[in-house]
Amino acid sequence: MDLMVKDKVALITGGGEGVGRLVALMLAEEGSDVALGDVDLSKAESVAAEVSALGREALAFKVDVTKWEEVNEMVRKTIDEFKRVDMLVHVPGRGERKSFISSEKADWDFSVNLNLYGVLNTVKAVVGQMVEQRSGSMAFVVSDAGRVGETNNIVYSAAKGGVIAFSKALAKELGRHNIRVNCVALSAMNTPAGLQFREGLAAMMGKETPEELNKKILSNYVIRRFGEPEDAANALCFLVSDRAAWITGQTLSVNGGYCMV
Ligand SMILES: NC(=O)c1ccc[n+]([C@@H]2O[C@H](COP(=O)([O-])OP(=O)(O)OC[C@H]3O[C@@H](n4cnc5c(N)ncnc54)[C@H](O)[C@@H]3O)[C@@H](O)[C@H]2O)c1
């Protein structure tokens, strides 16, 4: 299916690997130019090279989405170069792997900064351009933790739930400007960070081998496998494309049936 994104411009935060990388490559294959921001510049540059090899323009930025100035600089340079931003896909996020009882304020600050403020910073930097264009679409990667709550991911659940509520309210504000806002809620994924997270969780719990823990986690999934970056990227690319022109303010869980809300 043609996504109808030819000659559009996509900005992808956390585009250096996993989900963000695949979104970049899929949109480039569909004819979009791509700006990639990642805290790891070498990863963003390597994905930019892959995009260029597909015959589309690509920019790579070193950006920490929790840093207001860096995010604004990335968006300013993207607009200088590409003159517009049609699609924003915001990926970065990280769980805590800690109970609330054992958590400290520094843990909350880290989680809220990355998982909630990261989205606010990026949207604030981009939204003026989309309003000026009178068009745009955004999709934020959240987690089912933000829909149903998860142990050892308490403040993360709060922050991701905050992004879901923010996306609905923002969709209401921006609809009149022809800008759509949606979320994709993921659960246990086979991304580099997801694999690392589960290894850390097994070590923290200390009761089971990583294989035993994986088996236990998967018993909660109707489709008994972990999510692949493609699963997430397919949904994100659809939601920011014109194929989803009448979809806004929604959260789509891409989760193998882990929870159904
Ligand atoms: N991995 C999972 O199992 C899982 C489960 C549910 C939800 N999610 C959500 O999916 C999204 C993607 O998670 P992921 O596991 O692929 O890894 P991730 O978000 O940690 O990493 C993706 C990319 O983002 C970059 N990144 C990390 N912090 C950044 C920052 N502050 N600024 C800019 N770039 C940054 C990384 O370098 C990496 O290239 C996150 O929002 C996460 O909360 C993941």
Side-chain angles (χ1 to χ4, degrees):
M1 179 169 72
D2 175 5
L3 281 182
M4 307 196 298
V5 294
K6 185 150 175 36
D7 297 327
K8 293 199 175 203
V9 173
L11 172 62
I12 300 158
T13 55
E17 68 179 7
V19 174
R21 169 180 169 270
L22 266 193
V23 169
L25 297 181
M26 284 182 185
L27 291 177
E29 274 168 8
E30 294 280 329
S32 298
D33 295 325
V34 179
L36 297 142
D38 201 287
V39 76
D40 185 330
L41 180 61
S42 63
K43 286 186 193 165
E45 284 176 338
S46 124
V47 179
E50 291 184 272
V51 168
S52 301
L54 291 168
R56 299 307 310 188
E57 298 291 318
L59 300 173
F61 299 100
K62 176 171 170 50
V63 68
D64 178 341
V65 294
T66 68
K67 304 231 164 80
W68 172 255
E69 289 78 14
E70 290 184 18
V71 173
N72 277 282
E73 177 82 349
M74 168 185 68
V75 172
R76 195 181 54 70
K77 286 185 174 162
T78 299
I79 294 167
D80 280 353
E81 188 66 25
F82 288 150
K83 312 299 174 212
R84 53 190 301 113
V85 179
D86 298 296
M87 299 170 279
L88 167 66
V89 177
H90 183 91
V91 178
R94 181 68 49 96
E96 289 98 53
R97 217 188 291 142
K98 240 182 202 178
S99 70
F100 187 70
I101 293 168
S102 66
S103 70
E104 293 172 8
K105 189 172 178 306
D107 301 315
W108 314 345
D109 289 344
F110 175 83
S111 195
V112 173
N113 268 333
L114 176 59
N115 295 300
L116 180 55
Y117 262 95
V119 177
L120 302 184
N121 290 339
T122 310
V123 170
K124 186 70 174 168
V126 165
V127 71
Q129 175 64 30
M130 288 187 174
V131 168
E132 205 174 293
Q133 291 166 193
R134 284 209 52 76
S135 70
S137 60
M138 308 179 189
F140 314 137
V141 177
V142 294
S143 165
D144 283 313
R147 310 190 91 179
V148 297
E150 255 175 32
T151 48
N152 295 313
N153 263 334
I154 313 288
V155 181
Y156 175 75
S157 300
K160 292 290 194 183
V163 174
I164 293 170
F166 169 68
S167 70
K168 293 179 190 176
L170 190 68
K172 289 180 179 175
E173 177 176 327
L174 297 182
R176 76 200 65 172
H177 299 287
N178 192 30
I179 300 166
R180 298 181 300 101
V181 187
N182 292 292
C183 293
V184 167
L186 303 179
S187 284
M189 302 290 296
N190 274 340
T191 59
L195 293 166
Q196 204 186 12
F197 182 84
R198 285 197 297 281
E199 273 169 26
L201 196 61
M204 183 195 107
M205 294 168 84
K207 291 185 200 148
E208 295 141 320
T209 63
E211 293 70 32
E212 284 165 342
L213 179 69
N214 282 346
K215 207 169 157 198
K216 197 160 141 190
I217 293 172
L218 282 182
S219 68
N220 295 306
Y221 287 70
V222 175
I223 298 172
R224 280 199 168 60
R225 66 168 174 83
F226 291 107
E228 296 298 334
E230 289 83 351
D231 296 315
N234 285 335
L236 288 160
C237 291
F238 166 68
L239 282 175
V240 293
S241 80
D242 284 353
R243 291 286 178 189
W246 211 44
I247 301 176
T248 196
Q250 305 301 313
T251 297
L252 173 62
S253 278
V254 174
N255 67 3
Y258 161 72
C259 70
M260 301 178 188
V261 288

